[in-house]
Amino acid sequence: ARVVTTRAPVRGAFKYKSHQQYAGTMRNHTFRRIRVGDISPNPYQQPDGGYFLSIELRYHALLPNRTCHINRAADQGDCPIFEDIRFEDIRATGAARCGDIAGFKGDLLRRLSFKNVTFATAPKKSWKCGYVDLQTFSAVDVSPPIHCSMGAHGSQPLI
């Protein structure tokens, strides 16, 4: 299928969001062969710029001291389950920022992969990426490159 949007302002091309207290499962999704135009800021929600990708397992501000307890085998837990999500062969014209990617402590994003994801014009702000299972994370031919951590964005170790 081909989806084309023209002359429509968007604040983000891809957005995964869930409610942190009402767990849901986001599993086995692939986004492939997509072209995205320039993602522009809008004055009422994102005056500092539009993002290309947002993956956040919360809909409201993070609950303080939040640690999740997930049983993936039973598909149960007190936080959303996120795994096997792929972004492949995607080119964006531009955006103010690449995006924010964040799981939770105790609920890392698993098997998240990027392959051939690029921008024609690099965003001024790069990726923020934290709480990702680094053993199952993959980023190949991504520009600007994504550097993720198993803890909060910017913590060690990074890949």
Side-chain angles (χ1 to χ4, degrees):
R2 183 175 178 186
V3 177
V4 178
T5 302
T6 59
R7 298 179 193 231
V10 293
R11 60 178 186 211
F14 299 98
K15 187 173 196 174
Y16 269 92
K17 227 170 181 184
S18 184
H19 198 287
Q20 62 182 339
Q21 291 182 294
Y22 303 103
T25 299
M26 296 167 275
R27 179 182 288 134
N28 198 23
H29 301 158
T30 300
F31 298 90
R32 184 181 294 133
R33 292 186 295 276
I34 298 172
R35 299 295 172 254
V36 177
D38 190 39
I39 302 166
S40 303
N42 65 56
Y44 61 96
Q45 286 182 313
Q46 294 184 332
D48 295 329
Y51 56 81
F52 169 71
L53 173 70
S54 173
I55 298 174
E56 302 173 73
L57 299 186
R58 62 184 184 274
Y59 227 100
H60 301 289
L62 183 63
L63 296 174
N65 304 313
R66 179 72 165 164
T67 298
C68 298
H69 304 91
I70 301 294
N71 180 340
R72 291 180 189 275
D75 206 22
Q76 297 176 336
D78 58 1
C79 286
I81 294 173
F82 178 102
E83 61 187 14
D84 296 318
I85 309 298
R86 294 163 296 283
F87 296 90
E88 302 173 356
D89 301 321
I90 299 172
R91 181 152 176 89
T93 301
R97 57 191 177 120
C98 292
D100 301 328
I101 301 169
F104 281 127
K105 183 177 179 181
D107 187 13
L108 303 179
L109 304 178
R110 293 181 59 197
R111 292 189 292 280
L112 173 63
S113 70
F114 296 86
K115 182 180 177 184
N116 193 28
V117 176
T118 60
F119 291 84
T121 301
K124 291 179 183 176
K125 295 182 182 177
S126 195
W127 302 95
K128 289 184 180 180
C129 186
Y131 294 110
V132 173
D133 180 353
L134 298 180
Q135 292 180 343
T136 64
F137 175 75
S138 173
V140 177
D141 296 327
V142 177
S143 180
I146 302 174
H147 300 284
C148 295
S149 65
M150 289 184 72
H153 166 70
S155 66
Q156 297 293 327
L158 297 172
I159 109 168

